[in-house]
Amino acid sequence: MAKITLLISIIMLTCIPNANSQVTPWQVSAEDAGKINSIPIELKNLGIGRNIFTRTCVACHGAKADGKGLIQSASLIDETFQKQSDGSIFFKINAGRDKMPPFKGMLKEDEIWSVINYLRVMVNRSALPPAKDVKLEVSTGDEIKSITAFVHSADSAKLPFPEVDVSFYIKREFGLMRIGESSNLTGADGKVKVVFPEKIIGDQEGNVTILAKVENSFIYNDAESEVFRKWGEQMVTEDEKFNQRALWGSRDKSPVWLLLLANGIIVGIWGVILYIIYNLFRIKKAGKIFIKE
Amino acid sequence: MEGQDNSVKSRRRFLQKFGSLGLGAMAVSSALTESCSSNPKAPGSGKKITLLNSKNELVEVDSAYISTLNKDLSPNHNSQSRNGLPGKKFVLVVDLGKCKNARKCMDKCQAVHQLRPDQHHLNVLLMKDSEHTAPYYMPKHCQHCDNPPCVKVCPVDATFKRTDGIVLIDNERCIGCRFCIAACPYSARSFNWYEPKDAEKYKGVAYDIEKNVPQKKGTVTKCTFSADYLRDGKLPYCVSACPNGVYYFGNVYEDAVTNGTSGETVSLNNLLAQNSGYRLLEDLGTAPSVYYLPPKDLTLIPEIGDTQS
Amino acid sequence: MTDLHRKEIEIKKEQFQELVAELHSPLNRTGLSFKIWIGFLLLLMATAAFMYVRQLRYGLGTTDMRDIASWGLYIADFVFLIAVSLVGSLITAILKLSNIKWATPLTRISEIIAVAALFSALLIIVVDMGRPDRLWHIFVYGRLQSPIVWDILVVNTYLVISLLLLYIPLIPDIALLRKTMGHKPKWQQKMYKILSLGWQGTADQVKVLNLSLKALMVVIIPVALSIHTVTSWLFASTLRPGWDSTIFGPYFVAGAFMVGAATVIVTMYIIREAYHFKEYITDEHFNLMGKLLVLTSLVYLYFNLNEFMVPAYKMKSGESAHILGLLVGDYSLMFWSVQVIGMIAPIFLMAFKPFRKPKPMLVISVLIVIAAFLKRFLIVTPTLLHPFLPIQNYPESYHHYNPTFSEMMITVGSIAGIALVISIFTRLFPIIPVSETAHEKGFPNEIINNS
């Protein structure tokens, strides 16, 4: 009991300094704070910002950027944060501190500015114009395995939308694996085509589910469409490997040599033992016959 | 409330109809414990509901404490748990360059698996391989070896290897000989030296072999790769608890792993090839299912302090 | 038949009865000291039982074993007891098969030590289990791939063979007891009656008995070697530094022969003093057992050299932390004490005849037995405390293993149990084989069977 109490107190002690370390203010030089954001707040740039935010910031700062992610972190939507200049935020993202990793080298400057723009918009959503509904149609070319997405208006007119970023994915066990380029913009006809990559493993027949998505855009609402094609390599499973007789197998899967060896020894030794026990009966019998005689 | 009264009666009738020890009763009692444990200080609503628990006793419970479990407890899946999920072989990739010793994975793991603070299914170690190499943090799970030394030595089939690669332990079979602990070169197993933590709270909860909860005194416990979650297609507890994107988890057969933090899915082979992935103590021939990416570009260099290597 | 011949037979008969009376004398003793001794042993066992009940109630946490040092004193004790039990085969089978006659008075002592140690070993291994209530799982779900299952098979086989090897030479002696122990309580006489199997010493009976004995002595040797080899595989079948060794089997067997011989010397000294058997257990016996002990110790020394010298020369990573811990680290004091006091010094001392007298032999043997126990501890514990990966995020105490009082008392209880079994045995059966001794002294069959 004493051990446990001691342990708990050690753990608590080690936790306290971590909690306090956030308190000291984070100084940014005037020069850094004055740096000008090179990316204008435009609807199409905001999508990029949202993408990066989802990928890199949500884990700690939470989907709402309120600091309630997987760990307790700074809120990015409260007044203290938002009243900083773009330059100050840029500096902090670049440099990092304590648990906040430095993103210098991990993100391009433009990308950081885009995230900052997105954070500004987050607290001021109503200022944005409403997004349009779109429909997404997917067709495939079978000669060269390729997928074409056609983005058009949701009404019957089917007006093609150009310059829409479509993401293509393949469904995997725990998530979606991205294929195509990092940005696949539709052409004037509202269409964009990506080539299905090689060495993609499907199910045991080679079937794969391909997804096309319009997502994280501020101009258009999310839309998605999927196709099911036998384009992948056939999945090779090794279930047999784990059902073979092996030393790590279950009790009914012990190796044959082991069974033979063990049972051979048991039969041999116990044969002798049983023979000796039988001899004891012989001794007893011999004694009885002797008395009779 | 009249309606409520009726529903209670009908519930009772249902329970009685299906026998006092029916699975329904078990589900209710575990619902009670779970809801109580997750929300111990919730204010009561003042409305009492009478329920039949697994011990065939009628108990009064505040209605605020009742929540329905979304998990189907009725046909307990323990009988299938030894076979593994077909067409899958799970793999974990740990990116050492990203680990900052946040220990969210450890905390989550200990909370979920009813572990004391000194029991580890998962242990984040501070490593320093040699004098001049840099220190780094290394989360260490059970390696779910394909040539598992621990499974080899188990005398009663308590610990076993599934076709999906997972090594589990059945704590209703385990005799507590601890041979598996001695045999494991990764020190990945733990033993219940005392009555497990919160034993009272877990009383009456049906045993889930894929979660190894409730724990039992005198038995061995180990990382399950969160087999209970995998059955539902969810990422393991530790993988999705990591704030730093350390963990990738997936199915080897489809050559894809998903990052638990960003949700990004990448090719396993590419990930390992591009980052020189390796396995722990490869020369022992245990053939682990856990891969490590070397600690490159560390953003936080750990200081070697009280924990010695 | 001539008068002379008849007279000779009469004299022989008288001499034989004298011999029987002397060898049966322990059975007729009624001293208080024996009762105190038994009471003392029972007290130790009761303490052990109490500690065990406590362990059942609170879990194995009452020991100092934890996730790192997950095996401890109990397993060391188990290995020690298995080692001690090996002696039965050494003295009885190996010496007898090689026609060495002087060991006859020691055969029963060594067999009863073997049987008692085996019972104790089986108990201590149950004590070490986290769930003794599930012991039956081994028989219902037993998995042939596990060295534990091999060990259980082989230990039980050895127990049966040892019991037979104890019992079969005892049959003629029990037949004698039936005749001489008429004054004993009913149950005891009944027991003798059943166990004597109606032994008359007829040619048929003698033939079958000798045949059985021969077969037993042959079969016990591979089984005896395998119990200790398989026990060593409990360790050698893992990958851990310090256990991952190919010579563990013969290393353990050599060590077992050594501690077994030492245990016999201690026991025969006590029996000789307690029951005044100086005529039967002579100084020469100590001399010869001393030589045997030197031989087994030298073999063991050779294996020790291999086991520690070779890895110490290479200092392979993983192995080096373990080996340095033993040679110069935490366990160096214990390690060198055990090696020097329990092996090297005795070999030197026993090379000189004055040290092969009973009293010096007792001291040397006691030291060897204690050192042998600690050696088993050194085989089990330091390896576990040096795993491949660092021991972190555990309380400080996990880095060490210091057996608790409870563990120690249970271990002491297991040793007390052996002493108890042997002590009671000497009061129920002749500890020195009567008919065999008579045969060797040249008494004819008719006298042995018909007086």
Side-chain angles (χ1 to χ4, degrees), chain B residues 13 95 125 135 141 187 189 204 234 241 253-254 271 274 287 291:
Chain B
R13 235 177 282 132
D95 187 346
L125 301 177
H141 302 67
S187 314
R189 287 167 173 256
K234 286 189 269 186
Y253 295 150
E254 59 170 29
L271 185 71
Q274 285 159 11
Y291 291 83

Side-chain angles (χ1 to χ4, degrees), chain A residues 48-211:
Chain A
I48 299 168
R50 175 144 73 179
N51 264 329
I52 296 163
F53 180 81
T54 319
R55 216 172 58 226
T56 43
C57 315
V58 165
C60 296
H61 294 284
K64 289 178 191 155
D66 52 2
K68 288 172 186 157
L70 289 166
I71 57 170
Q72 188 66 40
S73 56
S75 165
L76 311 178
I77 48 175
D78 70 3
E79 213 181 314
T80 1
F81 181 85
Q82 289 284 344
K83 76 179 179 205
Q84 302 178 90
S85 71
D86 280 9
S88 296
I89 301 175
F90 182 88
F91 172 82
K92 289 179 180 178
I93 294 176
N94 236 342
R97 188 180 74 158
D98 294 335
K99 294 213 169 126
M100 169 89 180
F103 283 94
K104 191 173 191 167
M106 285 164 79
L107 295 175
K108 292 180 210 137
E109 290 210 354
D110 285 0
E111 288 176 323
I112 298 178
W113 290 126
S114 302
V115 171
I116 296 169
N117 286 344
Y118 173 63
L119 290 175
R120 297 294 190 207
V121 168
M122 256 190 138
V123 289
N124 206 9
R125 265 235 148 91
S126 50
L128 293 173
K132 291 181 228 168
D133 278 344
V134 294
K135 262 213 169 140
L136 191 61
E137 274 178 39
V138 186
S139 57
T140 55
D142 282 313
E143 214 158 285
I144 319 160
K145 293 169 186 169
S146 65
I147 315 107
T148 306
F150 174 36
V151 184
H152 58 77
S153 59
D155 53 23
S156 54
K158 289 197 177 183
L159 290 171
F161 286 133
E163 297 275 307
V164 184
D165 192 358
V166 182
S167 309
F168 294 89
Y169 297 101
I170 295 165
K171 257 194 191 164
R172 304 277 77 168
E173 184 80 37
F174 297 104
L176 301 173
M177 185 156 78
R178 204 180 172 94
I179 57 171
E181 304 301 317
S182 57
S183 170
N184 310 292
L185 295 177
T186 54
D189 55 355
K191 287 182 182 173
V192 61
K193 181 163 117 179
V194 298
V195 176
F196 185 80
E198 283 175 52
K199 287 187 182 166
I200 294 291
I201 298 170
D203 61 12
Q204 264 131 346
E205 275 86 49
N207 293 313
V208 285
T209 306
I210 306 158
L211 243 92

Side-chain angles (χ1 to χ4, degrees), chain C residues 201-357:
Chain C
T202 69
D204 269 2
Q205 285 183 321
V206 171
K207 199 181 134 205
V208 175
L209 185 107
N210 284 338
L211 191 72
S212 308
L213 260 181
K214 264 252 165 71
L216 263 181
M217 286 190 286
V218 172
V219 85
I220 198 173
I221 293 172
V223 176
L225 292 183
S226 61
I227 66 158
H228 219 49
T229 307
V230 170
T231 302
S232 82
W233 289 350
L234 294 183
F235 306 101
S237 61
T238 70
L239 298 158
R240 290 191 183 249
W243 290 355
D244 183 8
S245 162
T246 49
I247 64 158
F248 246 39
Y251 170 53
F252 271 46
V253 170
F257 277 141
M258 181 183 157
V259 60
T263 315
V264 169
I265 293 170
V266 174
T267 317
M268 74 193 218
Y269 183 90
I270 296 170
I271 286 173
R272 170 179 136 126
E273 292 302 312
Y275 297 135
H276 312 294
F277 279 157
K278 283 205 169 98
E279 239 174 87
Y280 301 93
I281 303 172
T282 61
D283 285 11
E284 185 57 14
H285 278 113
F286 283 91
N287 182 28
L288 290 168
M289 280 304 288
K291 286 181 177 173
L292 190 65
L293 190 52
V294 171
L295 174 70
T296 55
S297 303
L298 280 171
V299 176
Y300 193 48
L301 176 68
Y302 168 68
F303 276 110
N304 270 279
L305 204 63
N306 278 279
E307 181 58 23
F308 296 107
M309 179 42 205
V310 176
Y313 185 87
K314 291 179 283 193
M315 284 297 171
K316 203 166 112 187
S317 64
E319 204 87 35
S320 65
H322 167 68
I323 214 95
L324 287 175
L326 286 179
L327 300 182
V328 291
D330 285 356
Y331 284 98
S332 57
L333 182 66
M334 196 194 263
F335 177 79
W336 289 112
S337 312
V338 163
Q339 298 295 61
V340 173
I341 300 173
M343 187 168 64
I344 297 167
I347 294 173
F348 273 111
L349 291 178
M350 286 187 298
F352 302 102
K353 196 153 190 197
F355 285 100
R356 294 201 298 272
K357 295 244 175 278

